[in-house]
Amino acid sequence: MSDESSAPEREMVRGIVDVLRYYGAMGIERFPFPVSNVKADGVSDSPDCHTATIDLDLTVREESALYVTQPSPSEKAKQLSALRDKIGDCARCKLSAGRTNIVFGEGNPDARLMFIGEGPGEDEDLQGRPFVGKAGVLLTRLIEKMELRREDVYIANIVKCRPPGNREPAQDETGSCRGFLEQQIEIIRPAVIMTLGNVALQTLMNNPALKISAVRGKLLEFKGHTVIPTFHPAYLLRNPADKWKTWADAQKALEKLHHGH
Ligand code: URA
Ligand code: URA
């Protein structure tokens, strides 16, 4: 942070330092979220500041973090269930007219890995569960190849009702649904989010210019969560030659989950 850092910035840094000192005094040195290489060098002295230089360099070394801020898995399950109740028999957008079931999402409320698809297809609409059709079989195989089970991860979609004829969800539809997805992410707090396909990528990142073909292989970030964009399994069913790329993306996700980088 430079000498030009504003008073509110300095205030914020001081607040953070106070909180961290407090945790340090209680013997808590590790955190369950990535705080590696947080640096705030050379915050300048000022008449109202007792700290001439703040040099934070926190590194999370192990997974065995003390869960100082994380709600318990059962608390997260309760929060997800409350969110589902809030959605109710939703009629906030026009997709409600054609749906059979709302597909809220499913999996481990405490998942460290979350998959986000586009929206329910026919099978999902009928069963009320995400990724249970042909694309779902491929996604499930990917998850198992990662040596995980569907119950270990969380699977959700950008829109929770099936777009008629599997068309792409429209902007007003993603707009009225994305708040629920954001709340799911906030509750679950996954370390890594894999977006499946262009719609999930563009909608989550709020950037319609993003293209999988251009950004895959890169790590993106959404509200502190690592985002790894990959192809939609339905695309891979049509283009099996690209499957190895999704496997490479999955390995990146596993590296991030196991080693935090
Ligand atoms: N495609 C999606 O994007 N989501 C599903 O749940 C199923 C198919
Ligand atoms: N376009 C998509 O929408 N999804 C893919 O996975 C690839 C291209």
Side-chain angles (χ1 to χ4, degrees):
M1 207 174 272
S2 73
D3 284 358
E4 287 88 48
S5 62
S6 66
E9 277 172 345
R10 283 196 302 272
E11 198 57 43
M12 193 180 71
V13 169
R14 246 177 273 146
I16 292 168
V17 168
D18 282 345
V19 169
L20 293 172
R21 282 211 183 107
Y22 172 71
Y23 283 143
M26 295 199 306
I28 296 167
E29 296 168 355
R30 295 180 187 137
F31 298 82
F33 42 84
V35 288
S36 48
N37 299 319
V38 174
K39 275 187 190 295
D41 294 328
V43 172
S44 64
D45 204 355
S46 68
D48 62 339
C49 180
H50 301 299
T51 312
T53 300
I54 298 168
D55 183 3
L56 293 178
D57 190 354
L58 307 171
T59 308
V60 177
R61 285 178 205 83
E62 291 172 16
E63 293 290 289
S64 61
L66 273 167
Y67 278 52
V68 287
T69 59
Q70 282 269 49
S72 66
S74 67
E75 183 57 33
K76 289 182 175 190
K78 265 189 234 160
Q79 291 174 2
L80 285 173
S81 151
L83 176 61
R84 177 62 191 88
D85 291 346
K86 193 168 93 184
I87 294 173
D89 189 22
C90 187
R92 293 170 181 82
C93 87
K94 58 189 184 299
L95 291 181
S96 59
R99 71 151 185 261
T100 313
N101 285 298
I102 293 177
V103 181
F104 178 70
E106 66 181 26
N108 181 355
D110 203 31
R112 301 190 64 236
L113 175 61
M114 181 168 178
F115 290 91
I116 300 179
E118 177 175 325
E122 186 180 14
D123 296 298
E124 291 76 19
D125 174 63
L126 291 173
Q127 295 185 42
R129 298 179 53 209
F131 283 99
V132 290
K134 269 191 205 151
V137 170
L138 194 56
L139 177 62
T140 305
R141 252 199 265 149
L142 175 72
I143 292 167
E144 288 170 356
K145 207 170 162 198
M146 295 171 85
E147 299 188 341
L148 295 165
R149 298 164 305 165
R150 272 179 74 110
E151 310 90 88
D152 297 322
V153 303
Y154 199 90
I155 307 174
N157 281 302
I158 293 288
V159 292
K160 310 230 176 300
C161 296
R162 182 191 183 198
N166 299 342
R167 67 159 168 78
E168 281 191 10
Q171 237 176 34
D172 58 319
E173 297 156 356
T174 58
S176 63
C177 217
R178 77 163 287 140
F180 299 130
L181 178 68
E182 287 195 28
Q183 286 172 69
Q184 285 174 305
I185 295 170
E186 260 169 49
I187 293 167
I188 297 162
R189 305 195 198 185
V192 175
I193 296 171
M194 291 190 79
T195 54
L196 305 170
N198 275 325
V199 171
L201 167 69
Q202 294 164 356
T203 311
L204 181 72
M205 301 306 292
N206 224 341
N207 182 352
L210 290 178
K211 291 280 182 294
I212 287 180
S213 44
V215 301
R216 77 150 281 288
K218 297 189 182 122
L219 301 188
L220 308 178
E221 197 215 291
F222 175 76
K223 294 191 175 175
H225 307 269
T226 298
V227 175
I228 300 184
T230 197
F231 295 115
H232 194 286
Y235 166 88
L236 294 175
L237 288 172
R238 298 190 302 272
N239 302 272
D242 275 345
K243 279 185 186 171
W244 70 270
K245 293 180 188 161
T246 280
W247 181 236
D249 299 334
Q251 281 172 306
K252 218 169 239 162
L254 288 173
E255 258 167 52
K256 188 83 196 166
L257 290 171
H258 294 322
H259 306 295
H261 54 77

